[in-house]
Amino acid sequence: MHTMIETHQLNFFYGSFHGLIDINLAVAQYQITALIGPSGCGKSTLLRTFNRMNDLIENVRVTGRVFIDGVDIYTPQTDLVNLRKKVGMVFQRPNPFALSVAENILFSVKIHKTAPASQYEAILEESLRAVDLWEALKDKLHRSALQLSLEQQQRLCIARLLPVKPDILLMDEPCSALDPMSTAHIEELMRMLKVNYTILIVTHNMQQAARVSDFAAFLYLGELIEFGSTEKMFTVPKDRRTEEYLTGKFG
Amino acid sequence: MIKNPYLKEKIAFTLLFGATVLVVLPVIFVLFYIVKQGWPAINWEFLTQMPQKGMRAGGIFPAIIGTLYLVLGTLLFALPLGVLSGVYLTEYARDNGLTRLVKLAIINLAGVPSVVYGLFGLGIFVVFLKFGASILAGSLTLAIMVLPIIITTTREALDSVPQSFRQVSLSLGVSKWQTIRHVVLPHAMPGILTGMILAVSRAAGETAPILFTVAAFYLPRLPKSVFDQVMALPYHLYVISTQVPHVKLEIRYGTALVLLIIVLSLNLVAIIVRAQFRKKKKW
């Protein structure tokens, strides 16, 4: 299996706080990898090192190396714009722009000028079909995206990423604002998308990790405690802390 | 102690409503009074003729034109400079002691008395840079006076754009400047235009900054270049109210009314533009 993301001795400091400690991780292409662990364990921080969104915070220091598709992304030459085109992100709260559905999808296309106006309709349909929204929204393309249900908004946010043609989708607790039905729908969507994308999902919901992921990484207090196939980890965890977390002793 | 929540509700409502009425009534009264006193003076000659008989008759045309030139000149300098530096301070400047000091200084500049700006303009633009008393010197002085307003409202408008919009945009591989240009500024535009409205009102209405830098006591002709002096409505109003004896009341109030109408209609333009921007946003 091709390795899409790889970290070597990755450390993350926020001021004097040591947020990630010696993380060594390899994420396989076209798989869903879940990052699990209790609140504050560093799973969101780890996710954000992969598209360097942590750069937006001041007082942050990263040591070690992160490779995306074989390329070190923590070098002075790293082009953040291209990195983030390659590594898309879905946020915890659905966050469509206060624009119409169509303008949300076409936002990146218009700015990056990746396609002429004649292709806009095709891009719209393709992106919305990929997240199963086309039938529901094809007559409402010019409605405000903020009028959609939360689930539709989150689907739209995923659809908005697709015209950028990323290889990797980072999902930071994408279902935490959604009800159980919508959560099930988004999980189904993730399984559909993994055919074409490498997906990393941060979740505090262990059932979700068990249902949707192929691999799981358990983080605790900034350390990667255990990493392996989800099935194995959830049935025969190697580390005592993993077992205790999975059985609900803490978290 | 009153225990009854319904009674408390009533008292609170009465207080809040009463305060609002006390604020609104004087404004209505002032407007009403100026319109009532000034309206008889308003006619085509008054708006398009030069003043005559020591400003006791004729029109106020040169003062109207002068004020319009000054407002335009002020915006020409202050708007781009203010908005750009507001964007820099909010989006790019690191949050350190120096930045905070600069921001604080700008807020405080808004509170400097306008006559101080007038003296500053006299020293720098009229004397040192040798622009003389001119439209250029007056516009620059007024521009410096309204810069803090524009910068502060621009910053507030930018701050009110949700941080998540910036994050999403950046996460889509959009550069920082493109994010500002395509996401942040369109959202902040109504707020920025509000700042422009405030700046226009201030620039059109102030007397002290133009007193030494541009305003002519009596100049019954139109300016030929930016190095000419002009008459301006607020100074003209001051002159005919205090310096020239026996000016008819209706001419004085007519002048005030024209000044009001100019400021209000400039505001109206900005309000219409702002409404257009708001319509594009689909909250």
Side-chain angles (χ1 to χ4, degrees), chain B residues 66-76 78 114 138-147 149-150 195-211 214 232-235 259 262-263 266-267:
Chain B
T67 288
L68 287 178
Y69 276 147
L70 286 176
V71 167
L72 281 178
T74 304
L75 284 182
L76 204 66
S114 52
S139 300
L140 284 167
T141 309
L142 287 169
I144 289 180
M145 182 186 72
V146 300
L147 262 179
I149 302 174
I150 293 181
M196 196 183 102
I197 294 173
L198 290 171
V200 164
S201 312
R202 187 98 197 270
E206 279 288 350
T207 312
I210 57 173
L211 194 55
V214 50
L233 283 171
Y235 182 59
L259 179 57
I262 287 180
V263 171
L266 285 173
N267 286 359

Side-chain angles (χ1 to χ4, degrees), chain B residues 153-219:
Chain B
T153 48
T154 299
R155 281 187 43 223
E156 279 165 7
L158 295 172
D159 281 335
S160 73
V161 179
Q163 205 58 40
S164 71
F165 287 177
R166 293 182 180 82
Q167 287 204 14
V168 178
S169 179
L170 291 170
S171 81
L172 288 165
V174 174
S175 74
K176 187 162 183 174
W177 167 246
Q178 286 172 325
T179 297
I180 292 170
R181 165 76 188 73
H182 295 283
V183 179
V184 181
L185 279 180
H187 266 89
M189 205 43 100
I192 294 173
L193 286 170
T194 305
M196 196 183 102
I197 294 173
L198 290 171
V200 164
S201 312
R202 187 98 197 270
E206 279 288 350
T207 312
I210 57 173
L211 194 55
F212 318 119
T213 54
V214 50
F217 186 87
Y218 177 63
L219 190 68

